[in-house]
Amino acid sequence: MARVDFHPMNNLFSIGLVFASSSLLGSARAVTETREFDLKNLTQVVVENSVGSTEVSVTPGTKAVVEYDKKEFPDACRLAIDRSGHKLVVNVGHSISGMLSHIRCDVNLVVRVPQRVGVKSTSESGSINVVGTNGELELASKSGDLIADGTFSKIAVRSASGNVNIKGVAGSGDVKTESGAVTLSMSSAALAGKLSVKTESGAGMIYLPKGTPVKTNFESKIGTFSNELGNQESAAYKILLKTKSG
């Protein structure tokens, strides 16, 4: 695997040859309640958490499963779980009476779904971990690490504070962060597409299969860029790296 390194704190971008692997499996957690749903025709899962960890992984059985542990859940909080058509939606938030309050709704969620499913997961404060799915991926968090390991035909990631680590990018992607390290790994050489990474502050790496033809574009007020893989103007896969602070 080859990589693109970017270090806005040191004003340095570079591409080099490295080998790396990591485990993204979450640790076990206590679960208080469980709900199950039919897997048939389920192609999308949407998980909207408030405070607490979120895990989305592949179900080992014949049902989609939602496990939830209410750590801090006063009356003004609300948990809604619904399967409608092709979509499973899990939402943690405030009831109408609690929408203007600052009450914490702290719930740890574990959602087990079929492998071939698109995942959209958001969090106000808490980590999100997606493992083993095959489809589009959309993650967003104001505070908390965003981690995924699967095969993702398209990714969209937004992070205000926290690290981003996505393994298995197989197509185009759009990543925007304000603070935190970014690590992206391509699962195979993409034939065409664009990967855009924009950071306010934070270092990062983009891992690519050795020999992947890419066209790169680096934008920064202050900084340097070194590409050891070579820049192919005719390459159908493009990588844009943009940073503001140095």
Side-chain angles (χ1 to χ4, degrees):
M1 298 286 284
R3 77 181 183 192
V4 176
D5 291 353
F6 48 103
H7 304 277
M9 297 298 292
N10 299 321
N11 301 320
L12 174 64
F13 279 62
S14 65
I15 294 181
L17 180 63
V18 297
F19 295 88
S21 63
S22 62
S23 174
L24 298 177
L25 295 176
S27 58
R29 57 177 63 83
V31 175
T32 58
E33 298 180 71
T34 301
R35 289 188 61 184
E36 296 184 345
F37 298 87
D38 191 358
L39 289 179
K40 186 177 180 180
N41 297 325
L42 181 60
T43 60
Q44 185 178 11
V45 58
V46 178
V47 184
E48 301 166 327
N49 205 350
S50 178
V51 178
S53 64
T54 300
E55 178 188 315
V56 180
S57 59
V58 177
T59 180
T62 59
K63 296 286 186 180
V65 180
V66 179
E67 302 170 346
Y68 48 98
D69 181 12
K70 297 177 179 179
K71 310 296 290 185
E72 188 175 340
F73 204 81
D75 291 340
C77 295
R78 177 180 62 86
L79 170 62
I81 306 173
D82 179 60
R83 164 73 197 270
S84 178
H86 300 288
K87 184 184 297 186
L88 174 63
V89 178
V90 182
N91 177 272
V92 178
H94 294 92
S95 63
I96 295 177
S97 61
M99 284 184 177
L100 298 180
S101 69
H102 296 285
I103 295 175
R104 283 173 58 93
C105 301
D106 190 344
V107 181
N108 290 340
L109 296 171
V110 177
V111 184
R112 308 197 187 281
V113 295
Q115 184 179 35
R116 294 188 176 278
V117 67
V119 176
K120 178 180 180 180
S121 184
T122 63
S123 175
E124 293 290 325
S125 178
S127 64
I128 300 176
N129 191 354
V130 180
V131 181
T133 62
N134 185 339
E136 294 189 2
L137 177 70
E138 184 175 348
L139 303 178
S141 176
K142 292 183 179 179
S143 177
D145 293 343
L146 303 178
I147 303 172
D149 186 356
T151 303
F152 308 114
S153 56
K154 184 179 180 180
I155 66 168
V157 180
R158 300 291 182 271
S159 174
S161 177
N163 297 325
V164 174
N165 190 334
I166 311 295
K167 293 182 64 177
V169 180
S172 295
D174 185 23
V175 179
K176 295 180 180 179
T177 70
E178 294 184 18
S179 176
V182 177
T183 304
L184 305 175
S185 300
M186 301 290 295
S187 60
S188 59
L191 297 177
K194 179 181 178 181
L195 179 60
S196 173
V197 180
K198 299 178 181 179
T199 69
E200 296 288 334
S201 175
M205 295 177 287
I206 301 175
Y207 291 84
L208 307 164
K210 185 178 179 180
T212 301
V214 294
K215 179 181 179 180
T216 57
N217 183 19
F218 170 68
E219 298 179 14
S220 179
K221 293 181 179 178
I222 302 174
T224 61
F225 179 58
S226 175
N227 184 349
E228 296 179 5
L229 289 177
N231 188 49
Q232 300 188 24
E233 291 295 328
S234 61
Y237 196 79
K238 301 173 178 61
I239 296 179
L240 169 64
L241 307 174
K242 185 175 182 179
T243 180
K244 288 186 177 181
S245 65

